[in-house]
Structure formats: structure tokens, C-alpha cells
Amino acid sequence: MEKTKNSVTRNNDTVRFAGFWIRFLATWIDMLVFVVPIGFIIYIVSGGNLIDFSSFSESIAYAQEGKTLEALQHMPRTSAKWEPLFELLVAAITILFWKRWAGATPGKKLLGIRVVDAKSYGEINNKQAIIRYISYIISTIPLAIGFIMVAFHKEKRALHDMMANTVVIYKK
């Protein structure tokens, strides 16, 4: 196995690791494709109770005045009843995409990258998919350091990749 920067060659196959920016872009595409629509549907089904938008303009006004703490205190609150449903649906759909599309969500598929097992570079199993998704929470705390480490890791792995023994690569 021969390693170079951002890739590894094994049995005459070169595997290229997907870096921070392409993964970041894939996440934004996924948000537009299924996270926003799921949020919109739950907002409608909940009768507008998913998010309290009444404090949103107040929060924006504080932010524009440079009053950070006040802006954060007036951020829209989510419903304790509807937020768990939203989170579960997003998790289920993400994991379903990983399983059905060989490790790719719509954003990853569009950009030609996918999540694979870190040792075999084959498809991930259900356990890895669940651990990877749950580990997003840990990667977010504090200040999304677990995601940012992709930019500095030799195999472009995030904390959640390490916890689930996965890596994101370019499709062949």
C-alpha cells in the first residue's frame, strides 16, 4: 500500500480522500435537498409550532447592533414536541441514503464522493451508519472542531469518521 497526499494506492487502485470543502458543499446541498423540506413539512404539520419565529426579528436586530449575547438569547426556540421528530426523520433519511446509495447522500452523490469503511473501502454497515450519524453531535461540540479536523487529517477524516471507522472518498 502506497500513500501519497490525499490518496492511497492499494492493489493498483488509487483511493482519493474527499477534503473539507467538498464535504462542506455536499452538506449544504443535503440541507437544501432534504433537511429544509423536512423542516417545512413538519412546520406545516405542527401548525407552525416547530419553530417560534416571533423572536427571530428581535434576534436579528440585536445581532446588527453588535449585542451578541442578547441576539443568542432571542434565537427562535424549537418545540420540544416536534424537534425530536424532525431530528429522527433527518437521521433516518440520511442513514437510508447511505445504505441505498452506497454511502452517498444527494449532495455526496452529486459531487462524486461517498462514505466507505476505512479499512476495506467497501460499503458501510448499519452499525457504522448509526454510529457515524450519532457522532455528528460530538463532532459539533465544541465549535465544530470534529468537522474542521478533516482539513488537517492525512486521510481527511472527521471525528465522526474515526468513531465509526469510516472515510469519505471520491468515487472511482
Side-chain angles (χ1 to χ4, degrees):
M1 187 182 315
E2 178 186 326
K3 286 188 178 187
T4 62
K5 185 178 181 184
N6 300 334
S7 68
V8 63
T9 302
R10 182 171 68 177
N11 300 334
N12 293 327
D13 265 348
T14 300
V15 176
R16 285 184 37 225
F17 304 115
F20 177 82
W21 289 112
I22 193 149
R23 291 173 66 166
F24 181 81
L25 182 57
T27 299
W28 276 98
I29 293 169
D30 290 340
M31 286 178 59
L32 292 173
V33 170
F34 66 87
V35 175
V36 170
I38 291 169
F40 182 73
I41 290 167
I42 293 180
Y43 182 78
I44 298 299
V45 170
S46 72
N49 292 320
L50 174 62
I51 298 176
D52 174 19
F53 283 110
S54 63
S55 59
F56 190 70
S57 60
E58 197 172 344
S59 177
I60 295 291
Y62 281 125
Q64 289 174 335
E65 294 172 13
K67 298 178 180 176
T68 308
L69 290 177
E70 290 88 344
L72 291 173
Q73 290 170 344
H74 289 88
M75 288 291 294
R77 304 282 184 244
T78 57
S79 165
K81 178 180 177 184
W82 294 99
E83 176 69 17
L85 176 62
F86 170 77
E87 294 297 336
L88 284 173
L89 281 174
V90 170
I93 290 171
T94 301
I95 291 169
L96 181 69
F97 274 118
W98 287 338
K99 294 305 294 169
R100 296 284 182 198
W101 281 5
T105 55
K108 284 181 176 60
K109 189 169 186 80
L110 182 68
L111 297 174
I113 60 177
R114 66 191 192 114
V115 180
V116 296
D117 179 79
K119 292 197 188 317
S120 70
Y121 302 117
E123 289 189 25
I124 62 173
N125 60 39
N126 291 335
K127 180 180 175 185
Q128 286 174 299
I130 292 167
I131 290 170
R132 189 173 197 277
Y133 191 86
I134 292 170
S135 298
Y136 278 172
I137 297 165
I138 298 166
S139 286
T140 304
I141 304 168
L143 305 172
I145 299 282
F147 290 99
I148 294 169
M149 64 190 287
V150 169
F152 305 101
H153 192 274
K154 65 182 178 186
E155 293 179 342
K156 304 300 178 191
R157 293 175 74 190
L159 181 59
H160 52 273
D161 288 314
M162 292 178 198
M163 294 176 78
N165 199 27
T166 61
V167 66
V168 180
I169 63 170
Y170 285 90
K171 291 181 190 175
K172 295 177 186 164

